Amino acid sequence: MSKPATLYNRLALIGVGLIGSSIARAARAQCAVGSIVATARSPQTRKRVAELGLADQVVETNAAVVEGADLVILCIPVGACGAVAKEIGPHLAAGATVSDVGSVKGSIIRDMGPYLPKTVHFVPAHPVAGTEYSGPDAGFAELFVNRWCILTPPDGADAKAVEKLNAFWRLLGANVETMAADHHDLVLAITSHLPHLIAYTIVGTADEMQNVTRSEVLKFSAGGFRDFTRIAASDPTMWRDVFLANKDAVLEMLGRFNEDISLLTKAIRNGDGKALFAHFVRTRAIRQGIVDIGQDSPAPDFGRPHPGLPHSALPKPYASDD
Ligand code: NAP
């Protein structure tokens, strides 16, 4: 039986955590690439990637991993991408596509662009899918299924290279949309970055309260707090970088949020039940819209099937992780 045609001959992954290892698993499952070569910053992660058999080859350096690769994807924190681009620039094969998975796109183009030779195609990407878990063990092949992947090609990007990367992500199960990097950053600031900031804040506030003991916070966490704790468990390095890299858009959304919470505060203070009720009716309709377009399940606790793992071990993906 003949092997299915692959989109790229050699995929190089720089960083093999949740996202990098999910790409490796999905690309293999879908025969999207001929071979996978990977590297990670620490010897421990490289060892684990080899043990898990996530790549055909695991190499030590960023310069070595990109040699001969026709698709290179950086799966590392946003703040590290500029330095890595500088390192790999001279070693990239002519005609290769260079991409990333960072949760902020304007800073990626600003930080990586200047180091990439004109002979390669730079097509930044952001798969809007994730969990609060990190590392090569956390990934799974189905992570991107029915999730969005947003491509933000800079002006003048090669249309064929963009279309090929679009096909790659569709093969991994994602729905793909293309938009300008600054628009991406504004949209994600409200759908992902601000919700994470609120979760980090509320969990910290609860922890600092003197008159509510930690055990009571845990015991009654089903009252809404539990979902915030899950989001607030997301990787500290990744999220530090997101807020530093998307400062302007996050501050813009935070300003709007503060205005709106002041209005709700006033309604509570004034006993204005009509205003509160009208607001909650509007937000319930938004939630229904998200369920209707298949971006979340109406079930109280969302978790997609994860072949091969007992339910208790399942990572819990959520709709607009980042
Ligand atoms: P992760 O599981 O923590 O893995 C991060 C990887 O990056 C590891 O291989 C780590 O190497 C490497 N790394 C960390 N700091 C580095 C540095 N300074 N230089 C080089 N490599 C470094 O993270 P992840 O969740 O896969 O996230 C990776 C990227 O995906 C981030 O840019 C994030 O914004 C984006 N993203 C994340 C999600 C999500 O929900 N998690 C969703 C969409 C997009 P070691 O293990 O050796 O330290």
Side-chain angles (χ1 to χ4, degrees):
M1 217 166 71
S2 64
K3 275 177 82 178
T6 56
L7 280 169
Y8 295 93
N9 292 326
R10 189 169 169 88
L11 164 64
L13 291 173
I14 300 182
V16 194
L18 169 72
I19 301 296
S21 73
S22 295
I23 292 175
R25 289 174 168 103
R28 231 200 218 137
Q30 297 304 321
C31 301
V33 296
S35 65
I36 301 176
V37 55
T39 192
R41 179 180 54 166
S42 66
Q44 295 91 317
T45 301
R46 293 198 295 270
K47 182 168 174 272
R48 190 63 189 142
V49 172
E51 281 166 4
L52 291 168
L54 292 171
D56 300 287
Q57 212 185 331
V58 181
V59 299
E60 282 191 19
T61 66
N62 295 330
V65 83
V66 302
E67 296 283 354
D70 54 350
L71 176 60
V72 175
I73 309 183
L74 275 60
C75 305
I76 60 178
V78 168
C81 288
V84 170
K86 187 176 180 185
E87 220 182 317
I88 62 175
H91 305 277
L92 291 163
T97 292
V98 178
S99 189
D100 75 306
V101 294
S103 310
V104 182
K105 302 286 23 132
S107 69
I108 289 286
I109 292 178
R110 186 195 64 215
D111 295 349
M112 288 182 64
Y115 296 115
L116 300 177
K118 299 252 174 300
T119 50
V120 304
H121 305 297
F122 181 32
V123 189
H126 175 205
V128 188
T131 75
E132 68 276 31
Y133 299 101
S134 303
D137 287 274
F140 51 103
E142 302 80 11
L143 179 64
F144 310 111
V145 174
N146 202 25
R147 296 289 173 234
W148 284 101
C149 181
I150 302 172
L151 306 185
T152 62
D155 288 343
D158 181 82
K160 272 193 186 149
V162 176
E163 178 45 39
K164 196 166 166 184
L165 192 66
N166 185 318
F168 173 81
W169 278 104
R170 278 187 275 123
L171 199 51
L172 268 49
N175 304 312
V176 182
E177 188 142 319
T178 300
M179 63 176 74
D182 55 353
H183 186 68
H184 165 279
D185 290 353
L186 202 60
V187 171
L188 271 290
I190 188 65
T191 56
S192 167
H193 306 169
L194 195 57
H196 275 79
L197 192 68
I198 292 166
Y200 281 123
T201 310
I202 206 165
V203 172
T205 306
D207 189 51
E208 279 162 21
M209 277 177 66
Q210 298 297 321
N211 56 346
V212 179
T213 68
R214 193 180 280 262
S215 65
E216 277 170 323
V217 169
L218 296 178
K219 186 169 156 190
F220 300 118
S221 66
F225 187 71
R226 188 179 54 185
D227 287 345
F228 283 116
T229 61
R230 185 168 54 77
I231 297 173
S234 300
D235 185 62
T237 306
M238 169 186 157
W239 283 97
R240 176 203 61 196
D241 283 9
V242 167
F243 291 116
L244 294 179
N246 203 21
K247 177 176 158 183
D248 293 344
V250 170
L251 289 178
E252 162 69 20
M253 292 307 163
L254 204 49
R256 288 166 185 254
F257 177 80
N258 282 331
E259 284 170 19
D260 290 345
I261 208 158
S262 297
L263 290 177
L264 288 179
T265 308
K266 198 170 163 192
I268 292 169
R269 181 172 294 119
N270 293 344
D272 188 350
K274 210 170 147 192
L276 291 173
F277 189 78
H279 188 88
F280 300 156
V281 166
R282 188 157 66 90
T283 54
R284 175 182 264 192
I286 293 168
R287 163 72 192 169
Q288 189 56 48
I290 289 170
V291 172
D292 288 348
I293 60 168
Q295 286 297 300
D296 204 351
S297 147
D301 216 354
F302 182 44
R304 281 180 293 164
H306 188 286
L309 280 181
H311 186 75
S312 58
L314 296 187
K316 293 220 168 43
Y318 45 100
S320 336
D321 179 35
D322 81 292

